[in-house]
Amino acid sequence: MNCIVCHAQLTASDYCPKCGCNVKALKKVNALSNLYYNQGLEKAQIRDLSGAITCLKRSLKMNKLNIQARNLLGLVYFETGEVVAALSQWVISKNMMPQGNPAEGYIDRLQKNANRLDMINISIKKYNQCLEYCRNGNPDMAKMQLKKVLSNNPKLIKGYHLLALLYMQEGEYEKARKRLKAAARIDKTNTTTLRFLREIEEQTGRATSLDSRFKIKEKEIEKKDGSVIYRSGNDTIIQPPEYREKSITNTLVNLVLGLLVGAAALWFLVVPAKTQKINQAANKKVVEYSDKMATLSAELDRMQKDMDASTDSVSTAKSQIDAANAKAAGYENLIKAWQAYRDGSYGTAANAMEGVAPDVLSVEAKGMYDTIMSEIGGTVKANYQAAAGSAMEAGDYDTAISNLEKALGIGAQDSNTMFNLAQAYDKKGDTQNANKWYQKIIDDYPGTEDAQNAADYMQANGGQAADADEGQADNGEDGEENSGEVQGASEGEPVTQDE
């Protein structure tokens, strides 16, 4: 021990040999610190960790330089799962005595086991998260997380307390009792553990035994009459003397019983072995059949892929054949139209031209198509308009729309065909396309009757039309001509033109 004034080594005297300071109180304080350390050591040896922590804290309060007390306090903290508190005590101890301090070894061993340190750190974070779950009213998540925390850090007494408290809150007192008994095995005199156990005992009406379920009996005295006295914990058990019947009948009975027991043991040992062998053979067959099934399934998948590929090829070929047939039919209709055109049967030529798709024709055939259409285009257009009128009367608006679009594609567009197309869309319920054609009539034929009608219908559909009366004086006559150009087609009357 050193003097607190001059740091000189003290002797048995109550005064410092160097500075003469009275060190009697200092020696008493150090003696009390050592006394509390010894008490803490005794309590730690019997796993009274809470009492040990209290004594060691008092020891350090008397003498903060008591390295042994500080190191032991760190060990006790570590044993209760408080790793951060343990490391804090060891680091302080190492700074106070850098040389020859056991705390350095404790810190090194903990730091070298990085996995263990990370697991402890994660468990502490998860425990804090469990506290947040409890505060936010989510006990189920807290219980699940606490079970993981205790599996990673089984010495964390606070974790056992929190989990037991959650079980007690839900009325599962036996589960809470089990957790608290696990905590009591770590720290026998923890006040929180004992308080919770008392609460459980009051709720269930059954006491909790913290002793081991099976204890080794200590033989103390064997009397002459054969009775034996054992001590189990605080209880003394007297075993009476055994009564042995010595006779041939007893011996034979024991022999027969021994044979029966041996036969039963043989049965229980041999039969399970045979059963296991049969099960192994069956499992082997199952594995073989599973392999075969997997092979067949893979083969079936391959065949299915080949069949799908063949189906795609057939579909492609069919599409090409259909396109070729359509092209051939177009050329055939073009030839029929050309012959009829040369013979002067323009009506027949017009009917044949309806089956010709100009997009699939070659350059020469397209020239022939244009030549015929330049002469009989009006007839073809009239036929489309007539077919559209019939479809409109029958309520087949899709057919009417298709024929009217074809009619608009031949020659110059007219307001009457546009109006009929807009009407077809309108009656079909497609107001968007109807308004589009109404607006086109208003834009292309301003001031006409069709433009005024288109504006009215467009306004009825909720559209915003441009001024339909604009340009009335300039375009009135043209509008009337366009309006009457194919009036017969709109009424469903076929129009033919023979020249």
Side-chain angles (χ1 to χ4, degrees):
M1 182 186 302
N2 297 326
C3 177
I4 61 174
V5 178
C6 63
H7 302 288
Q9 187 70 27
L10 298 179
T11 60
S13 175
D14 293 337
Y15 297 93
C16 176
K18 184 176 180 181
C19 64
C21 179
N22 189 346
V23 293
K24 185 176 181 179
L26 177 61
K27 288 184 176 182
K28 287 184 178 181
V29 168
N30 287 334
L32 282 174
S33 177
N34 293 333
L35 176 62
Y36 284 129
Y37 165 73
N38 292 329
Q39 291 178 356
L41 180 60
E42 291 176 357
K43 291 180 181 293
Q45 289 173 345
I46 61 172
R47 301 202 69 82
D48 181 6
L49 302 184
S50 298
I53 291 174
T54 302
C55 291
L56 292 172
K57 284 183 175 179
R58 290 177 181 176
S59 176
L60 292 176
K61 188 175 182 180
M62 295 295 176
N63 182 12
K64 66 178 181 180
L65 299 177
N66 194 335
I67 301 300
Q68 291 180 337
R70 195 172 295 278
N71 291 341
L72 181 58
L73 180 59
L75 290 173
V76 174
Y77 276 137
F78 185 82
E79 188 64 19
T80 58
E82 300 287 341
V83 181
V84 176
L87 280 173
S88 300
Q89 297 298 328
W90 291 337
V91 170
I92 295 172
S93 175
K94 183 181 176 182
N95 290 331
M96 289 181 175
M97 190 176 75
Q99 301 298 329
N101 193 336
E104 185 176 0
Y106 302 151
I107 296 172
D108 291 340
R109 271 183 287 179
L110 188 59
Q111 290 179 346
K112 286 179 181 179
N113 192 352
N115 294 331
R116 174 64 177 167
L117 191 60
D118 292 340
M119 187 177 297
I120 292 172
N121 188 24
I122 292 172
S123 66
I124 293 173
K125 291 181 179 178
K126 288 184 177 180
Y127 173 78
N128 294 331
Q129 189 176 8
C130 292
L131 292 176
E132 290 297 326
Y133 285 146
C134 294
R135 294 190 183 101
N136 296 331
N138 196 352
D140 293 333
M141 289 296 297
K143 287 192 293 185
M144 293 174 59
Q145 197 80 316
L146 279 172
K147 291 178 181 179
K148 295 180 181 179
V149 169
L150 294 176
S151 63
N152 294 333
N153 189 2
K155 294 183 179 181
L156 187 59
I157 295 180
K158 291 182 179 179
Y160 290 110
H161 290 165
L162 182 57
L163 184 56
L165 192 60
L166 291 173
Y167 282 136
M168 291 169 62
Q169 186 179 8
E170 296 177 356
E172 299 179 358
Y173 294 107
E174 294 305 322
K175 292 184 178 180
R177 192 197 306 270
K178 182 179 178 181
R179 301 299 177 180
L180 292 173
K181 289 175 72 174
R185 285 193 292 269
I186 300 172
D187 186 2
K188 292 183 177 180
T189 60
N190 188 280
T191 55
T192 304
T193 303
L194 298 177
R195 187 172 69 252
F196 286 176
L197 284 174
R198 184 182 294 268
E199 177 68 22
I200 292 173
E201 291 173 358
E202 292 177 356
Q203 294 295 331
T204 59
R206 187 168 65 87
T208 304
S209 176
L210 299 179
D211 296 331
S212 299
R213 190 171 183 180
F214 301 102
K215 283 193 172 183
I216 300 176
K217 298 178 181 179
E218 298 178 356
K219 186 174 181 181
E220 289 188 350
I221 302 173
E222 183 174 359
K223 295 185 177 180
K224 293 181 180 181
D225 58 356
S227 60
V228 182
I229 299 176
Y230 293 95
R231 181 176 295 276
S232 178
N234 296 326
D235 299 330
T236 301
I237 301 173
I238 301 176
Q239 180 178 345
E242 297 180 358
Y243 174 74
R244 296 182 182 179
E245 185 178 333
K246 298 180 180 179
S247 65
I248 297 175
T249 304
N250 190 32
T251 303
L252 290 176
V253 171
N254 291 334
L255 182 61
V256 172
L257 289 176
L259 291 175
L260 292 175
V261 172
L266 182 64
W267 172 264
F268 286 113
L269 291 175
V270 173
V271 172
K274 290 184 178 180
T275 305
Q276 185 178 8
K277 186 176 181 181
I278 294 171
N279 291 335
Q280 289 178 351
N283 291 334
K284 186 177 180 182
K285 289 292 185 182
V286 171
V287 172
E288 291 178 359
Y289 290 144
S290 298
D291 293 339
K292 290 182 181 179
M293 289 296 294
T295 304
L296 292 175
S297 179
E299 184 67 19
L300 182 62
D301 292 339
R302 185 186 64 78
M303 294 176 67
Q304 183 66 36
K305 290 180 180 179
D306 293 341
M307 187 172 68
D308 293 340
S310 301
T311 304
D312 294 339
S313 300
V314 171
S315 300
T316 303
K318 185 177 179 181
S319 300
Q320 294 176 353
I321 291 172
D322 293 340
N325 290 335
K327 188 173 182 181
Y331 276 103
E332 184 178 353
N333 289 325
L334 182 63
I335 293 172
K336 289 181 181 179
W338 179 257
Q339 291 176 353
Y341 171 73
R342 293 183 62 183
D343 294 339
S345 300
Y346 293 153
T348 304
N351 293 331
M353 288 296 287
E354 294 178 7
V356 179
D359 297 336
V360 300
L361 299 176
S362 62
V363 177
E364 295 80 3
K366 186 67 168 59
M368 185 185 298
Y369 175 85
D370 293 338
T371 301
I372 297 173
M373 288 300 293
S374 64
E375 296 293 334
I376 64 172
T379 303
V380 176
K381 185 172 184 177
N383 288 343
Y384 281 133
Q385 291 172 338
S390 299
M392 287 279 285
E393 291 179 356
D396 187 2
Y397 300 115
D398 290 331
T399 303
I401 290 170
S402 176
N403 287 319
L404 289 171
E405 288 178 346
K406 291 178 181 178
L408 287 174
I410 299 174
Q413 294 184 351
D414 60 281
S415 62
N416 192 35
T417 304
M418 289 183 187
F419 187 81
N420 291 334
L421 179 59
Q423 286 282 292
Y425 274 120
D426 205 347
K427 292 179 179 180
K428 182 184 176 182
D430 188 355
T431 57
Q432 182 177 2
N433 282 320
N435 290 341
K436 181 183 74 173
W437 285 104
Y438 286 143
Q439 186 62 48
K440 185 170 179 60
I441 294 170
I442 295 170
D443 294 339
D444 294 349
Y445 304 97
T448 64
E449 183 180 356
D450 287 340
Q452 182 62 43
N453 293 334
D456 294 339
Y457 278 109
M458 188 174 180
Q459 187 175 3
N461 289 337
Q464 185 67 31
D467 189 3
D469 296 333
E470 186 177 338
Q472 176 72 33
D474 296 334
N475 299 317
E477 296 179 358
D478 293 339
E480 292 177 358
E481 293 176 0
N482 291 332
S483 174
E485 184 176 352
V486 287
Q487 184 67 32
S490 65
E491 297 175 356
E493 299 177 358
V495 179
T496 58
Q497 180 179 355
D498 293 333
E499 296 181 1

